[in-house]
Amino acid sequence: PDGGALFVTDQSNHMIRRVEVATGAVTTLAGGGDEDDTDGVDEAAEFDYPAGIAISPDGSAKFVADSHKIRRVEVATGAVTTVAGSGTLGSADGVGGAEQFNSPSDLAISPDGSVLFVADC
């Protein structure tokens, strides 16, 4: 992360946006604008009121708190994948889609990128 861009969740438009600090230019990194939780690339990916965002230590990926899931967005390609959460409201621990979130709102990542912390309301 060189500080040249801000990455923000555009909740009501269901998108992840990039803002160039020097110019203020805004582009869409991922999300087609429809409310859903579909994995995909660029506009084929859908978000459901994305909230918090965390940046991987090397800047290559963004992690997004999205409805009842945690999603990963690759900066180079705009590819979006679900890394945690079944998509069903709940509070179950688990692995491989068995885990549940109520309403994840913010994220933080450890300095080495090995642990992602989730604030779940």
Side-chain angles (χ1 to χ4, degrees):
D2 63 6
L6 297 172
F7 292 88
V8 297
T9 57
D10 187 347
Q11 285 188 323
S12 294
N13 287 316
H14 313 289
M15 297 176 176
I16 308 305
R17 312 294 294 276
R18 178 185 178 121
V19 181
E20 297 299 327
V21 174
T23 64
V26 178
T27 55
T28 300
L29 176 61
D34 294 324
E35 179 183 344
D36 199 359
D37 64 357
T38 305
D39 289 346
V41 178
D42 295 328
E43 292 181 4
E46 301 296 347
F47 292 91
D48 185 7
Y49 295 98
I53 192 167
I55 302 169
S56 65
D58 66 1
S60 66
K62 311 305 174 213
F63 294 89
V64 179
D66 183 36
S67 190
H68 311 302
K69 293 182 174 184
I70 307 302
R71 317 280 295 283
R72 179 186 178 113
V73 181
E74 297 296 331
V75 174
T77 64
V80 177
T81 55
T82 299
V83 295
S86 65
T88 302
L89 179 116
S91 62
D93 292 342
V95 174
E99 63 282 357
Q100 296 176 323
F101 295 98
N102 181 40
S103 185
S105 59
D106 211 351
L107 304 169
I109 194 163
S110 64
D112 67 358
S114 66
V115 179
L116 187 65
F117 300 93
V118 180
D120 191 19
C121 301

